[in-house]
mmCIF file of all heavy atoms in Angstrom:
data_model
loop_
_atom_site.group_PDB
_atom_site.id
_atom_site.type_symbol
_atom_site.label_atom_id
_atom_site.label_comp_id
_atom_site.label_asym_id
_atom_site.label_seq_id
_atom_site.Cartn_x
_atom_site.Cartn_y
_atom_site.Cartn_z
ATOM 1 N N LEU A 311 27.446 36.851 51.843
ATOM 2 C CA LEU A 311 28.630 37.611 51.431
ATOM 3 C C LEU A 311 28.716 37.706 49.911
ATOM 4 O O LEU A 311 29.049 38.766 49.363
ATOM 5 C CB LEU A 311 29.881 36.945 51.999
ATOM 6 C CG LEU A 311 31.205 37.658 51.716
ATOM 7 C CD1 LEU A 311 31.216 39.048 52.333
ATOM 8 C CD2 LEU A 311 32.379 36.830 52.241
ATOM 9 N N SER A 312 28.433 36.619 49.215
ATOM 10 C CA SER A 312 28.445 36.641 47.748
ATOM 11 C C SER A 312 27.405 37.618 47.213
ATOM 12 O O SER A 312 27.679 38.415 46.306
ATOM 13 C CB SER A 312 28.186 35.237 47.205
ATOM 14 O OG SER A 312 28.173 35.233 45.797
ATOM 15 N N ASN A 313 26.206 37.574 47.803
ATOM 16 C CA ASN A 313 25.146 38.484 47.372
ATOM 17 C C ASN A 313 25.539 39.942 47.574
ATOM 18 O O ASN A 313 25.333 40.794 46.699
ATOM 19 C CB ASN A 313 23.860 38.198 48.152
ATOM 20 C CG ASN A 313 23.221 36.873 47.797
ATOM 21 O OD1 ASN A 313 23.687 36.162 46.908
ATOM 22 N ND2 ASN A 313 22.170 36.522 48.497
ATOM 23 N N SER A 314 26.072 40.254 48.752
ATOM 24 C CA SER A 314 26.373 41.651 49.053
ATOM 25 C C SER A 314 27.512 42.174 48.191
ATOM 26 O O SER A 314 27.484 43.328 47.742
ATOM 27 C CB SER A 314 26.701 41.809 50.541
ATOM 28 O OG SER A 314 27.828 41.055 50.912
ATOM 29 N N THR A 315 28.515 41.350 47.938
ATOM 30 C CA THR A 315 29.622 41.776 47.079
ATOM 31 C C THR A 315 29.136 42.023 45.658
ATOM 32 O O THR A 315 29.524 42.998 45.002
ATOM 33 C CB THR A 315 30.727 40.705 47.078
ATOM 34 O OG1 THR A 315 31.020 40.306 48.414
ATOM 35 C CG2 THR A 315 31.990 41.248 46.450
ATOM 36 N N THR A 316 28.261 41.149 45.188
ATOM 37 C CA THR A 316 27.685 41.314 43.853
ATOM 38 C C THR A 316 26.886 42.604 43.753
ATOM 39 O O THR A 316 26.982 43.337 42.751
ATOM 40 C CB THR A 316 26.779 40.114 43.528
ATOM 41 O OG1 THR A 316 27.545 38.914 43.611
ATOM 42 C CG2 THR A 316 26.182 40.239 42.134
ATOM 43 N N ALA A 317 26.110 42.911 44.782
ATOM 44 C CA ALA A 317 25.303 44.132 44.775
ATOM 45 C C ALA A 317 26.179 45.370 44.647
ATOM 46 O O ALA A 317 25.825 46.329 43.949
ATOM 47 C CB ALA A 317 24.462 44.214 46.050
ATOM 48 N N LEU A 318 27.326 45.359 45.311
ATOM 49 C CA LEU A 318 28.231 46.502 45.193
ATOM 50 C C LEU A 318 28.781 46.611 43.768
ATOM 51 O O LEU A 318 28.978 47.719 43.260
ATOM 52 C CB LEU A 318 29.368 46.363 46.198
ATOM 53 C CG LEU A 318 28.969 46.517 47.677
ATOM 54 C CD1 LEU A 318 30.158 46.266 48.581
ATOM 55 C CD2 LEU A 318 28.381 47.904 47.941
ATOM 56 N N GLY A 319 29.016 45.473 43.116
ATOM 57 C CA GLY A 319 29.448 45.511 41.716
ATOM 58 C C GLY A 319 28.401 46.134 40.820
ATOM 59 O O GLY A 319 28.713 46.918 39.912
ATOM 60 N N ILE A 320 27.130 45.806 41.066
ATOM 61 C CA ILE A 320 26.030 46.411 40.301
ATOM 62 C C ILE A 320 25.982 47.908 40.559
ATOM 63 O O ILE A 320 25.856 48.717 39.623
ATOM 64 C CB ILE A 320 24.696 45.746 40.677
ATOM 65 C CG1 ILE A 320 24.696 44.274 40.242
ATOM 66 C CG2 ILE A 320 23.514 46.490 40.056
ATOM 67 C CD1 ILE A 320 23.551 43.455 40.814
ATOM 68 N N ALA A 321 26.088 48.302 41.824
ATOM 69 C CA ALA A 321 26.036 49.723 42.175
ATOM 70 C C ALA A 321 27.176 50.503 41.542
ATOM 71 O O ALA A 321 26.994 51.637 41.080
ATOM 72 C CB ALA A 321 26.065 49.879 43.700
ATOM 73 N N VAL A 322 28.361 49.905 41.496
ATOM 74 C CA VAL A 322 29.505 50.566 40.858
ATOM 75 C C VAL A 322 29.251 50.735 39.368
ATOM 76 O O VAL A 322 29.465 51.811 38.794
ATOM 77 C CB VAL A 322 30.796 49.765 41.108
ATOM 78 C CG1 VAL A 322 31.929 50.256 40.209
ATOM 79 C CG2 VAL A 322 31.221 49.876 42.575
ATOM 80 N N ALA A 323 28.779 49.684 38.710
ATOM 81 C CA ALA A 323 28.550 49.743 37.259
ATOM 82 C C ALA A 323 27.521 50.802 36.887
ATOM 83 O O ALA A 323 27.638 51.455 35.846
ATOM 84 C CB ALA A 323 28.089 48.374 36.757
ATOM 85 N N LEU A 324 26.506 50.991 37.744
ATOM 86 C CA LEU A 324 25.428 51.934 37.443
ATOM 87 C C LEU A 324 25.686 53.331 38.012
ATOM 88 O O LEU A 324 24.822 54.201 37.936
ATOM 89 C CB LEU A 324 24.101 51.386 37.984
ATOM 90 C CG LEU A 324 23.662 50.031 37.409
ATOM 91 C CD1 LEU A 324 22.334 49.599 38.012
ATOM 92 C CD2 LEU A 324 23.581 50.075 35.892
ATOM 93 N N GLY A 325 26.851 53.538 38.591
ATOM 94 C CA GLY A 325 27.198 54.862 39.109
ATOM 95 C C GLY A 325 26.474 55.235 40.384
ATOM 96 O O GLY A 325 26.427 56.414 40.749
#
Side-chain angles (χ1 to χ4, degrees):
L311 183 62
S312 179
N313 291 356
S314 61
T315 312
T316 302
L318 291 176
I320 295 168
V322 167
L324 300 180

